[in-house]
PDB file of all heavy atoms in Angstrom:
ATOM      1  N   PHE F   1     108.951 128.218  90.484  1.00  0.00           N
ATOM      2  CA  PHE F   1     107.572 127.989  90.065  1.00  0.00           C
ATOM      3  C   PHE F   1     107.224 126.501  90.070  1.00  0.00           C
ATOM      4  O   PHE F   1     106.223 126.105  89.470  1.00  0.00           O
ATOM      5  CB  PHE F   1     107.299 128.609  88.686  1.00  0.00           C
ATOM      6  CG  PHE F   1     106.845 130.043  88.754  1.00  0.00           C
ATOM      7  CD1 PHE F   1     107.677 131.012  89.279  1.00  0.00           C
ATOM      8  CD2 PHE F   1     105.590 130.417  88.301  1.00  0.00           C
ATOM      9  CE1 PHE F   1     107.272 132.332  89.351  1.00  0.00           C
ATOM     10  CE2 PHE F   1     105.186 131.734  88.359  1.00  0.00           C
ATOM     11  CZ  PHE F   1     106.023 132.693  88.885  1.00  0.00           C
ATOM     12  N   ASP F   2     108.014 125.680  90.719  1.00  0.00           N
ATOM     13  CA  ASP F   2     107.681 124.272  90.910  1.00  0.00           C
ATOM     14  C   ASP F   2     106.762 124.076  92.107  1.00  0.00           C
ATOM     15  O   ASP F   2     105.845 123.251  92.068  1.00  0.00           O
ATOM     16  CB  ASP F   2     108.946 123.440  91.101  1.00  0.00           C
ATOM     17  CG  ASP F   2     109.787 123.339  89.846  1.00  0.00           C
ATOM     18  OD1 ASP F   2     109.227 123.399  88.738  1.00  0.00           O
ATOM     19  OD2 ASP F   2     111.019 123.184  89.982  1.00  0.00           O
ATOM     20  N   ASP F   3     107.014 124.808  93.162  1.00  0.00           N
ATOM     21  CA  ASP F   3     106.232 124.684  94.392  1.00  0.00           C
ATOM     22  C   ASP F   3     106.230 126.033  95.104  1.00  0.00           C
ATOM     23  O   ASP F   3     106.848 126.191  96.159  1.00  0.00           O
ATOM     24  CB  ASP F   3     106.817 123.588  95.282  1.00  0.00           C
ATOM     25  CG  ASP F   3     105.999 123.350  96.529  1.00  0.00           C
ATOM     26  OD1 ASP F   3     104.792 123.678  96.532  1.00  0.00           O
ATOM     27  OD2 ASP F   3     106.563 122.837  97.526  1.00  0.00           O
ATOM     28  N   ASP F   4     105.533 126.976  94.517  1.00  0.00           N
ATOM     29  CA  ASP F   4     105.519 128.334  95.047  1.00  0.00           C
ATOM     30  C   ASP F   4     104.102 128.866  95.153  1.00  0.00           C
ATOM     31  O   ASP F   4     103.221 128.488  94.388  1.00  0.00           O
ATOM     32  CB  ASP F   4     106.345 129.268  94.158  1.00  0.00           C
ATOM     33  CG  ASP F   4     107.793 128.851  94.065  1.00  0.00           C
ATOM     34  OD1 ASP F   4     108.425 128.634  95.118  1.00  0.00           O
ATOM     35  OD2 ASP F   4     108.299 128.729  92.924  1.00  0.00           O
ATOM     36  N   ALA F   5     103.905 129.731  96.115  1.00  0.00           N
ATOM     37  CA  ALA F   5     102.649 130.447  96.289  1.00  0.00           C
ATOM     38  C   ALA F   5     102.856 131.886  95.857  1.00  0.00           C
ATOM     39  O   ALA F   5     103.732 132.573  96.384  1.00  0.00           O
ATOM     40  CB  ALA F   5     102.187 130.381  97.743  1.00  0.00           C
ATOM     41  N   ILE F   6     102.064 132.324  94.904  1.00  0.00           N
ATOM     42  CA  ILE F   6     102.149 133.688  94.408  1.00  0.00           C
ATOM     43  C   ILE F   6     100.875 134.410  94.817  1.00  0.00           C
ATOM     44  O   ILE F   6      99.778 134.013  94.418  1.00  0.00           O
ATOM     45  CB  ILE F   6     102.320 133.746  92.882  1.00  0.00           C
ATOM     46  CG1 ILE F   6     103.341 132.698  92.397  1.00  0.00           C
ATOM     47  CG2 ILE F   6     102.711 135.156  92.456  1.00  0.00           C
ATOM     48  CD1 ILE F   6     104.737 132.887  92.935  1.00  0.00           C
ATOM     49  N   GLY F   7     101.014 135.447  95.594  1.00  0.00           N
ATOM     50  CA  GLY F   7      99.860 136.176  96.097  1.00  0.00           C
ATOM     51  C   GLY F   7      99.691 137.532  95.448  1.00  0.00           C
ATOM     52  O   GLY F   7     100.639 138.112  94.915  1.00  0.00           O
ATOM     53  N   TRP F   8      98.470 138.006  95.476  1.00  0.00           N
ATOM     54  CA  TRP F   8      98.159 139.387  95.133  1.00  0.00           C
ATOM     55  C   TRP F   8      97.579 140.045  96.377  1.00  0.00           C
ATOM     56  O   TRP F   8      96.598 139.559  96.939  1.00  0.00           O
ATOM     57  CB  TRP F   8      97.171 139.490  93.977  1.00  0.00           C
ATOM     58  CG  TRP F   8      97.783 139.315  92.615  1.00  0.00           C
ATOM     59  CD1 TRP F   8      97.727 138.219  91.828  1.00  0.00           C
ATOM     60  CD2 TRP F   8      98.531 140.306  91.889  1.00  0.00           C
ATOM     61  NE1 TRP F   8      98.391 138.442  90.647  1.00  0.00           N
ATOM     62  CE2 TRP F   8      98.894 139.714  90.652  1.00  0.00           C
ATOM     63  CE3 TRP F   8      98.925 141.621  92.146  1.00  0.00           C
ATOM     64  CZ2 TRP F   8      99.647 140.397  89.683  1.00  0.00           C
ATOM     65  CZ3 TRP F   8      99.669 142.297  91.192  1.00  0.00           C
ATOM     66  CH2 TRP F   8     100.020 141.678  89.973  1.00  0.00           C
ATOM     67  N   PHE F   9      98.203 141.127  96.792  1.00  0.00           N
ATOM     68  CA  PHE F   9      97.736 141.931  97.910  1.00  0.00           C
ATOM     69  C   PHE F   9      97.476 143.342  97.423  1.00  0.00           C
ATOM     70  O   PHE F   9      98.019 143.770  96.412  1.00  0.00           O
ATOM     71  CB  PHE F   9      98.772 141.967  99.042  1.00  0.00           C
ATOM     72  CG  PHE F   9      98.939 140.673  99.776  1.00  0.00           C
ATOM     73  CD1 PHE F   9      99.695 139.646  99.238  1.00  0.00           C
ATOM     74  CD2 PHE F   9      98.348 140.483 101.014  1.00  0.00           C
ATOM     75  CE1 PHE F   9      99.857 138.452  99.916  1.00  0.00           C
ATOM     76  CE2 PHE F   9      98.502 139.295 101.707  1.00  0.00           C
ATOM     77  CZ  PHE F   9      99.257 138.283 101.152  1.00  0.00           C
ATOM     78  N   ARG F  10      96.666 144.066  98.164  1.00  0.00           N
ATOM     79  CA  ARG F  10      96.440 145.461  97.847  1.00  0.00           C
ATOM     80  C   ARG F  10      96.402 146.280  99.127  1.00  0.00           C
ATOM     81  O   ARG F  10      96.025 145.790 100.180  1.00  0.00           O
ATOM     82  CB  ARG F  10      95.147 145.656  97.053  1.00  0.00           C
ATOM     83  CG  ARG F  10      93.868 145.304  97.803  1.00  0.00           C
ATOM     84  CD  ARG F  10      92.677 145.386  96.860  1.00  0.00           C
ATOM     85  NE  ARG F  10      91.417 145.123  97.536  1.00  0.00           N
ATOM     86  CZ  ARG F  10      90.246 145.042  96.914  1.00  0.00           C
ATOM     87  NH1 ARG F  10      90.186 145.191  95.586  1.00  0.00           N
ATOM     88  NH2 ARG F  10      89.135 144.797  97.608  1.00  0.00           N
ATOM     89  N   GLN F  11      96.792 147.530  99.000  1.00  0.00           N
ATOM     90  CA  GLN F  11      96.778 148.427 100.134  1.00  0.00           C
ATOM     91  C   GLN F  11      96.302 149.799  99.681  1.00  0.00           C
ATOM     92  O   GLN F  11      96.943 150.434  98.846  1.00  0.00           O
ATOM     93  CB  GLN F  11      98.153 148.537 100.787  1.00  0.00           C
ATOM     94  CG  GLN F  11      98.145 149.326 102.082  1.00  0.00           C
ATOM     95  CD  GLN F  11      99.416 149.142 102.883  1.00  0.00           C
ATOM     96  OE1 GLN F  11     100.474 148.860 102.326  1.00  0.00           O
ATOM     97  NE2 GLN F  11      99.315 149.287 104.193  1.00  0.00           N
ATOM     98  N   ALA F  12      95.186 150.215 100.236  1.00  0.00           N
ATOM     99  CA  ALA F  12      94.659 151.547  99.989  1.00  0.00           C
ATOM    100  C   ALA F  12      95.216 152.504 101.031  1.00  0.00           C
ATOM    101  O   ALA F  12      95.592 152.082 102.132  1.00  0.00           O
ATOM    102  CB  ALA F  12      93.137 151.530 100.040  1.00  0.00           C
ATOM    103  N   PRO F  13      95.287 153.786 100.716  1.00  0.00           N
ATOM    104  CA  PRO F  13      95.803 154.757 101.685  1.00  0.00           C
ATOM    105  C   PRO F  13      95.045 154.711 103.004  1.00  0.00           C
ATOM    106  O   PRO F  13      93.813 154.756 103.024  1.00  0.00           O
ATOM    107  CB  PRO F  13      95.601 156.100 100.978  1.00  0.00           C
ATOM    108  CG  PRO F  13      95.613 155.763  99.527  1.00  0.00           C
ATOM    109  CD  PRO F  13      94.948 154.414  99.431  1.00  0.00           C
ATOM    110  N   GLY F  14      95.779 154.590 104.098  1.00  0.00           N
ATOM    111  CA  GLY F  14      95.179 154.567 105.415  1.00  0.00           C
ATOM    112  C   GLY F  14      94.531 153.260 105.811  1.00  0.00           C
ATOM    113  O   GLY F  14      93.917 153.190 106.879  1.00  0.00           O
ATOM    114  N   LYS F  15      94.653 152.228 104.987  1.00  0.00           N
ATOM    115  CA  LYS F  15      94.031 150.946 105.282  1.00  0.00           C
ATOM    116  C   LYS F  15      95.073 149.850 105.424  1.00  0.00           C
ATOM    117  O   LYS F  15      96.207 149.989 104.976  1.00  0.00           O
ATOM    118  CB  LYS F  15      93.027 150.570 104.190  1.00  0.00           C
ATOM    119  CG  LYS F  15      91.808 151.474 104.110  1.00  0.00           C
ATOM    120  CD  LYS F  15      90.803 150.940 103.117  1.00  0.00           C
ATOM    121  CE  LYS F  15      89.551 151.790 103.091  1.00  0.00           C
ATOM    122  NZ  LYS F  15      88.554 151.257 102.130  1.00  0.00           N
ATOM    123  N   GLU F  16      94.668 148.759 106.049  1.00  0.00           N
ATOM    124  CA  GLU F  16      95.537 147.604 106.196  1.00  0.00           C
ATOM    125  C   GLU F  16      95.730 146.913 104.857  1.00  0.00           C
ATOM    126  O   GLU F  16      94.865 146.956 103.981  1.00  0.00           O
ATOM    127  CB  GLU F  16      94.949 146.619 107.208  1.00  0.00           C
ATOM    128  CG  GLU F  16      94.827 147.154 108.625  1.00  0.00           C
ATOM    129  CD  GLU F  16      96.161 147.281 109.313  1.00  0.00           C
ATOM    130  OE1 GLU F  16      97.105 146.541 108.952  1.00  0.00           O
ATOM    131  OE2 GLU F  16      96.284 148.121 110.215  1.00  0.00           O
ATOM    132  N   ARG F  17      96.867 146.271 104.700  1.00  0.00           N
ATOM    133  CA  ARG F  17      97.133 145.488 103.513  1.00  0.00           C
ATOM    134  C   ARG F  17      96.178 144.298 103.478  1.00  0.00           C
ATOM    135  O   ARG F  17      96.023 143.580 104.471  1.00  0.00           O
ATOM    136  CB  ARG F  17      98.581 145.030 103.497  1.00  0.00           C
ATOM    137  CG  ARG F  17      99.010 144.304 102.238  1.00  0.00           C
ATOM    138  CD  ARG F  17     100.517 144.114 102.223  1.00  0.00           C
ATOM    139  NE  ARG F  17     101.215 145.392 102.079  1.00  0.00           N
ATOM    140  CZ  ARG F  17     102.519 145.553 102.281  1.00  0.00           C
ATOM    141  NH1 ARG F  17     103.264 144.516 102.658  1.00  0.00           N
ATOM    142  NH2 ARG F  17     103.076 146.740 102.123  1.00  0.00           N
ATOM    143  N   GLU F  18      95.546 144.090 102.333  1.00  0.00           N
ATOM    144  CA  GLU F  18      94.506 143.081 102.180  1.00  0.00           C
ATOM    145  C   GLU F  18      94.946 142.002 101.202  1.00  0.00           C
ATOM    146  O   GLU F  18      95.388 142.311 100.092  1.00  0.00           O
ATOM    147  CB  GLU F  18      93.215 143.729 101.686  1.00  0.00           C
ATOM    148  CG  GLU F  18      92.086 142.746 101.402  1.00  0.00           C
ATOM    149  CD  GLU F  18      90.903 143.382 100.716  1.00  0.00           C
ATOM    150  OE1 GLU F  18      91.029 144.537 100.257  1.00  0.00           O
ATOM    151  OE2 GLU F  18      89.835 142.734 100.640  1.00  0.00           O
ATOM    152  N   GLY F  19      94.805 140.758 101.608  1.00  0.00           N
ATOM    153  CA  GLY F  19      95.050 139.648 100.709  1.00  0.00           C
ATOM    154  C   GLY F  19      93.903 139.489  99.729  1.00  0.00           C
ATOM    155  O   GLY F  19      92.751 139.331 100.136  1.00  0.00           O
ATOM    156  N   VAL F  20      94.205 139.521  98.455  1.00  0.00           N
ATOM    157  CA  VAL F  20      93.194 139.486  97.406  1.00  0.00           C
ATOM    158  C   VAL F  20      93.081 138.109  96.774  1.00  0.00           C
ATOM    159  O   VAL F  20      91.985 137.577  96.594  1.00  0.00           O
ATOM    160  CB  VAL F  20      93.494 140.539  96.322  1.00  0.00           C
ATOM    161  CG1 VAL F  20      92.516 140.413  95.160  1.00  0.00           C
ATOM    162  CG2 VAL F  20      93.427 141.938  96.921  1.00  0.00           C
ATOM    163  N   SER F  21      94.220 137.526  96.425  1.00  0.00           N
ATOM    164  CA  SER F  21      94.203 136.260  95.712  1.00  0.00           C
ATOM    165  C   SER F  21      95.557 135.580  95.844  1.00  0.00           C
ATOM    166  O   SER F  21      96.551 136.202  96.223  1.00  0.00           O
ATOM    167  CB  SER F  21      93.857 136.493  94.236  1.00  0.00           C
ATOM    168  OG  SER F  21      93.609 135.274  93.565  1.00  0.00           O
ATOM    169  N   CYS F  22      95.587 134.294  95.526  1.00  0.00           N
ATOM    170  CA  CYS F  22      96.827 133.518  95.598  1.00  0.00           C
ATOM    171  C   CYS F  22      96.697 132.307  94.693  1.00  0.00           C
ATOM    172  O   CYS F  22      95.603 131.744  94.561  1.00  0.00           O
ATOM    173  CB  CYS F  22      97.104 133.089  97.038  1.00  0.00           C
ATOM    174  SG  CYS F  22      98.734 132.351  97.319  1.00  0.00           S
ATOM    175  N   ILE F  23      97.795 131.924  94.087  1.00  0.00           N
ATOM    176  CA  ILE F  23      97.824 130.720  93.266  1.00  0.00           C
ATOM    177  C   ILE F  23      99.011 129.866  93.669  1.00  0.00           C
ATOM    178  O   ILE F  23     100.108 130.382  93.895  1.00  0.00           O
ATOM    179  CB  ILE F  23      97.853 131.061  91.757  1.00  0.00           C
ATOM    180  CG1 ILE F  23      97.737 129.783  90.917  1.00  0.00           C
ATOM    181  CG2 ILE F  23      99.097 131.851  91.382  1.00  0.00           C
ATOM    182  CD1 ILE F  23      97.414 130.051  89.455  1.00  0.00           C
ATOM    183  N   SER F  24      98.788 128.559  93.784  1.00  0.00           N
ATOM    184  CA  SER F  24      99.834 127.603  94.100  1.00  0.00           C
ATOM    185  C   SER F  24     100.313 126.959  92.811  1.00  0.00           C
ATOM    186  O   SER F  24      99.540 126.304  92.111  1.00  0.00           O
ATOM    187  CB  SER F  24      99.312 126.527  95.051  1.00  0.00           C
ATOM    188  OG  SER F  24      98.886 127.092  96.278  1.00  0.00           O
ATOM    189  N   THR F  25     101.579 127.156  92.491  1.00  0.00           N
ATOM    190  CA  THR F  25     102.103 126.604  91.249  1.00  0.00           C
ATOM    191  C   THR F  25     102.199 125.086  91.290  1.00  0.00           C
ATOM    192  O   THR F  25     102.271 124.447  90.240  1.00  0.00           O
ATOM    193  CB  THR F  25     103.484 127.189  90.933  1.00  0.00           C
ATOM    194  OG1 THR F  25     104.402 126.842  91.976  1.00  0.00           O
ATOM    195  CG2 THR F  25     103.404 128.701  90.810  1.00  0.00           C
ATOM    196  N   ARG F  26     102.192 124.484  92.485  1.00  0.00           N
ATOM    197  CA  ARG F  26     102.275 123.038  92.611  1.00  0.00           C
ATOM    198  C   ARG F  26     101.124 122.345  91.890  1.00  0.00           C
ATOM    199  O   ARG F  26     101.341 121.368  91.176  1.00  0.00           O
ATOM    200  CB  ARG F  26     102.286 122.639  94.084  1.00  0.00           C
ATOM    201  CG  ARG F  26     102.347 121.141  94.337  1.00  0.00           C
ATOM    202  CD  ARG F  26     102.100 120.819  95.798  1.00  0.00           C
ATOM    203  NE  ARG F  26     103.095 121.409  96.669  1.00  0.00           N
ATOM    204  CZ  ARG F  26     103.048 121.368  97.996  1.00  0.00           C
ATOM    205  NH1 ARG F  26     102.033 120.751  98.602  1.00  0.00           N
ATOM    206  NH2 ARG F  26     104.002 121.941  98.715  1.00  0.00           N
ATOM    207  N   ASP F  27      99.916 122.843  92.085  1.00  0.00           N
ATOM    208  CA  ASP F  27      98.747 122.183  91.523  1.00  0.00           C
ATOM    209  C   ASP F  27      97.762 123.127  90.849  1.00  0.00           C
ATOM    210  O   ASP F  27      96.720 122.680  90.371  1.00  0.00           O
ATOM    211  CB  ASP F  27      98.021 121.379  92.603  1.00  0.00           C
ATOM    212  CG  ASP F  27      97.597 122.229  93.787  1.00  0.00           C
ATOM    213  OD1 ASP F  27      97.726 123.463  93.728  1.00  0.00           O
ATOM    214  OD2 ASP F  27      97.139 121.647  94.788  1.00  0.00           O
ATOM    215  N   GLY F  28      98.064 124.406  90.815  1.00  0.00           N
ATOM    216  CA  GLY F  28      97.189 125.375  90.179  1.00  0.00           C
ATOM    217  C   GLY F  28      96.004 125.808  91.011  1.00  0.00           C
ATOM    218  O   GLY F  28      95.139 126.538  90.507  1.00  0.00           O
ATOM    219  N   SER F  29      95.934 125.372  92.255  1.00  0.00           N
ATOM    220  CA  SER F  29      94.828 125.766  93.110  1.00  0.00           C
ATOM    221  C   SER F  29      94.915 127.249  93.427  1.00  0.00           C
ATOM    222  O   SER F  29      96.006 127.830  93.463  1.00  0.00           O
ATOM    223  CB  SER F  29      94.809 124.941  94.392  1.00  0.00           C
ATOM    224  OG  SER F  29      96.002 125.137  95.138  1.00  0.00           O
ATOM    225  N   THR F  30      93.769 127.862  93.666  1.00  0.00           N
ATOM    226  CA  THR F  30      93.710 129.300  93.880  1.00  0.00           C
ATOM    227  C   THR F  30      92.872 129.655  95.094  1.00  0.00           C
ATOM    228  O   THR F  30      91.995 128.898  95.525  1.00  0.00           O
ATOM    229  CB  THR F  30      93.133 130.031  92.658  1.00  0.00           C
ATOM    230  OG1 THR F  30      91.797 129.570  92.410  1.00  0.00           O
ATOM    231  CG2 THR F  30      93.981 129.780  91.421  1.00  0.00           C
ATOM    232  N   TYR F  31      93.173 130.810  95.627  1.00  0.00           N
ATOM    233  CA  TYR F  31      92.363 131.440  96.653  1.00  0.00           C
ATOM    234  C   TYR F  31      91.958 132.819  96.139  1.00  0.00           C
ATOM    235  O   TYR F  31      92.776 133.543  95.564  1.00  0.00           O
ATOM    236  CB  TYR F  31      93.139 131.586  97.968  1.00  0.00           C
ATOM    237  CG  TYR F  31      92.554 132.630  98.894  1.00  0.00           C
ATOM    238  CD1 TYR F  31      91.465 132.335  99.707  1.00  0.00           C
ATOM    239  CD2 TYR F  31      93.076 133.923  98.939  1.00  0.00           C
ATOM    240  CE1 TYR F  31      90.910 133.291 100.538  1.00  0.00           C
ATOM    241  CE2 TYR F  31      92.525 134.886  99.769  1.00  0.00           C
ATOM    242  CZ  TYR F  31      91.449 134.566 100.570  1.00  0.00           C
ATOM    243  OH  TYR F  31      90.904 135.519 101.395  1.00  0.00           O
ATOM    244  N   VAL F  32      90.697 133.168  96.343  1.00  0.00           N
ATOM    245  CA  VAL F  32      90.200 134.489  95.976  1.00  0.00           C
ATOM    246  C   VAL F  32      89.373 135.016  97.142  1.00  0.00           C
ATOM    247  O   VAL F  32      88.482 134.323  97.641  1.00  0.00           O
ATOM    248  CB  VAL F  32      89.348 134.448  94.699  1.00  0.00           C
ATOM    249  CG1 VAL F  32      88.911 135.853  94.316  1.00  0.00           C
ATOM    250  CG2 VAL F  32      90.123 133.818  93.551  1.00  0.00           C
TER     251      VAL F  32
END
């Protein structure tokens, strides 16, 4: 957790896996 990217993905039945969110522990920046 010093320099890691933690993502949240979701997958519905019959659908492609979707990137939902991500947080970088290096600086706390996020993607949504």
Side-chain angles (χ1 to χ4, degrees):
F1 271 63
D2 291 331
D3 184 23
D4 299 309
I6 317 298
W8 280 103
F9 290 79
R10 65 187 183 185
Q11 187 166 27
K15 293 186 177 181
E16 297 288 334
R17 185 170 292 167
E18 176 189 12
V20 175
S21 190
C22 189
I23 186 166
S24 299
T25 62
R26 179 190 299 174
D27 57 8
S29 61
T30 61
Y31 160 81
V32 183

